[in-house]
Amino acid sequence: MAKMTRKELLNAPDEFLTTTSSIVKLIKENPIRIATIAAIIVILITSTFGFYYWKTNRERSAMLAYNNAYNNSQLTLQVMQSYADTKAGKLSKLRLAVMAYNENDYTMALDHAQEFINGWGQEDIFYWDGILVMAASYMGQDAADKALPLLNDCVENAPEHIKDQALFYKARVLMSAGKQEEAKEALMKISDQNQDIAKISLAQLENYTRETTDAEQ
């Protein structure tokens, strides 16, 4: 490539000035069009920041209301209805499911848990809590055939403490079905952290098996 002389460099057109002149010319020739484009850009930027600010404040207000509702079902229901599009509004469905389960209203618990799972959108700890509530509710309805697939899903994919609960519930279902060996296997898989509970259930299972054997003899 040929090397430019000092004279050629000094005489070369200034690219910045050239570009600036072109822009100024474009603005002068199309003032209305340029102004419209600029206004649209400003509106878009302002709307984006405005929506983000509104959404952040709404999420904060919803979570505050959720925390204040605590174990009050009526207040939790209000949060669910008033802030349905927020995380707190969705979590309210899970809380209501747990409350309904604790009151032995298994149908209501299933409805709320299913709605929560459908709307939550991610398989995190809350999602698996919802699955576990559904499984326990089916157990409450004596629907072991519906509970077991959910429990197996928890055992395979849920975090450890959810997995341990699922194994415990699974053992109960299997014991009720007379599948003592399978129930024992489930209890043996419970982590060391919760082995105390597993040992109590294993002892009960051994007593039940012994009593059943004695009765048959």
Side-chain angles (χ1 to χ4, degrees), residues 62-208:
M63 191 55 68
L64 180 62
Y66 174 80
N67 291 334
N68 289 338
Y70 190 48
N71 62 348
N72 186 307
S73 59
Q74 194 58 42
L75 291 178
T76 302
L77 181 62
Q78 290 177 15
V79 175
M80 185 189 78
Q81 294 172 340
S82 300
Y83 298 98
D85 59 313
T86 66
K87 288 186 177 179
K90 294 172 183 177
L91 285 172
S92 294
K93 295 177 182 179
L94 178 59
R95 178 185 284 174
L96 289 170
V98 174
M99 289 179 177
Y101 173 79
N102 290 337
E103 294 174 359
N104 299 324
D105 189 345
Y106 303 123
T107 300
M108 183 68 73
L110 284 166
D111 288 344
H112 284 309
Q114 187 66 70
E115 286 181 14
F116 168 75
I117 291 167
N118 291 343
W120 188 239
Q122 52 187 328
E123 292 188 7
D124 57 7
I125 186 66
F126 299 112
Y127 171 88
W128 293 111
D129 275 337
I131 294 291
L132 198 60
V133 170
M134 287 192 68
S137 297
Y138 279 129
M139 289 172 62
Q141 293 181 336
D142 294 323
D145 57 322
K146 295 181 179 179
L148 272 176
L150 296 173
L151 293 172
N152 287 331
D153 193 12
C154 288
V155 170
E156 290 294 325
N157 302 300
E160 188 170 77
H161 80 280
I162 297 289
K163 176 180 177 179
D164 284 348
Q165 293 180 68
L167 285 167
F168 180 75
Y169 286 151
K170 181 178 179 179
R172 284 176 51 190
V173 172
L174 293 170
M175 286 173 65
S176 298
K179 300 178 180 180
Q180 312 308 323
E181 285 303 315
E182 291 182 42
K184 184 177 180 179
E185 288 178 12
L187 291 170
M188 293 293 288
K189 291 178 182 178
I190 293 177
S191 68
D192 293 339
Q193 186 177 354
N194 294 303
Q195 267 301 307
D196 289 342
I197 297 175
K199 287 177 181 177
I200 294 173
S201 298
L202 282 167
Q204 292 173 343
L205 181 58
E206 289 294 334
N207 290 334
Y208 176 82

Side-chain angles (χ1 to χ4, degrees), residues 23-44:
I23 293 173
V24 171
K25 182 179 179 181
L26 179 64
I27 293 173
K28 285 182 178 180
E29 292 177 351
N30 304 278
I32 296 177
R33 183 181 179 186
I34 298 300
T36 300
I37 293 173
I40 292 173
I41 293 173
V42 170
I43 291 172
L44 287 174

